[in-house]
Structure formats: structure tokens, C-alpha cells
């Protein structure tokens, strides 16, 4: 998608502070962090949101969540935990329409979130 900010990050058109990258996934620090640790994990394949994922994306979605877990552990959240969030569409709070998982850690998270 030519107008997708995350696709532009994947293509290297917008610089970011990368945490991880492979052929299918990219993880980077959020530009507007909501916790001491705030990393986004995104698939390089453009999927607008979780509702648009197809059965053929199941492996990719599993790898995305497992990589989020690995990153949280590597960033020091294994003992106390972290919050993993996938927002979906306007009512779900999604602001960038490219599937992504937020990893929030380094502080206690309240519930409900807001």
C-alpha cells in the first residue's frame, strides 16, 4: 500500500528504531510510547487489520505473536509480564491500518485500559 506508514517503514522510506527484522516481520520502538517499553511488531505483508487476515495467514499470525513474546522477554519483561495489544478498526482504537501488535511493558497496566 503506497499510503500506509508501516509499509513505508518496511520499505525504508521512513526511519525507525528497529528491534528485530526478518523476511516476514519487523519490530520497532513506537514513536509515541505509552510505557517504558513500547514496541510494535508488524508483518511485512500488508494486512489491514486482524479481521482481514485469511486462513492462509495463520502461520504468519502465530509467528508474529511468538516473536512479540520473544521480544518482550529480551527487553526484560519475562518476570513481571507485559501487555500485548492488537487494535482492530475504529471502535477497537486502530489508527494505522496495517496489522500490528503492541508490546507494552516496564510498568503496571491498569484495567480497563481506557
Amino acid at each position: 500500500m503506497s499510503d500506509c506508514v508501516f509499509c513505508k517503514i518496511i520499505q525504508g522510506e521512513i526511519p525507525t528504531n528497529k528491534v528485530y527484522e526478518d523476511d516476514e516481520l519487523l519490530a520497532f520502538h513506537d514513536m509515541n510510547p505509552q510505557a517504558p517499553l513500547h514496541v510494535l511488531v508488524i508483518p511485512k505483508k500488508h494486512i489491514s487489520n486482524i479481521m482481514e487476515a485469511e486462513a492462509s495467514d495463520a502461520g504468519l499470525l502465530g509467528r508474529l505473536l511468538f516473536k512479540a513474546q520473544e521480544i518482550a522477554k529480551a527487553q526484560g519483561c519475562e518476570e513481571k509480564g507485559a501487555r500485548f495489544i492488537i487494535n482492530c478498526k475504529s471502535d477497537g482504537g486502530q489508527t494505522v491500518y496495517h496489522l500490528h501488535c503492541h508490546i507494552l511493558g516496564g510498568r503496571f497496566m491498569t484495567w480497563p485500559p481506557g
Side-chain angles (χ1 to χ4, degrees):
M1 291 234 129
S2 61
D3 61 338
C4 173
V5 67
F6 287 173
C7 287
K8 290 179 180 181
I9 288 171
I10 291 165
Q11 296 301 318
E13 296 173 28
I14 298 173
T16 190
N17 186 0
K18 291 181 189 177
V19 173
Y20 176 83
E21 183 173 17
D22 66 21
D23 291 342
E24 295 182 304
L25 302 171
L26 177 64
F28 52 93
H29 290 277
D30 193 290
M31 295 175 71
N32 184 25
Q34 301 299 304
L37 173 68
H38 190 167
V39 171
L40 303 176
V41 185
I42 66 172
K44 289 186 174 179
K45 175 184 178 183
H46 183 89
I47 302 170
S48 294
N49 57 66
I50 194 72
M51 298 290 193
E52 305 298 323
E54 300 176 354
S56 61
D57 296 318
L60 176 61
L61 298 176
R63 286 187 292 281
L64 183 142
L65 290 177
F66 193 76
K67 184 51 65 179
Q69 175 219 51
E70 287 182 344
I71 291 168
K73 287 179 178 181
Q75 296 289 321
C77 294
E78 185 168 13
E79 182 182 330
K80 290 189 172 186
R83 180 168 287 171
F84 301 86
I85 302 167
I86 297 176
N87 297 322
C88 182
K89 299 188 177 184
S90 59
D91 278 1
Q94 186 175 9
T95 58
V96 176
Y97 283 80
H98 184 122
L99 176 65
H100 56 286
C101 177
H102 296 259
I103 305 167
L104 297 166
R107 68 169 173 83
F108 179 78
M109 304 290 161
T110 60
W111 191 261

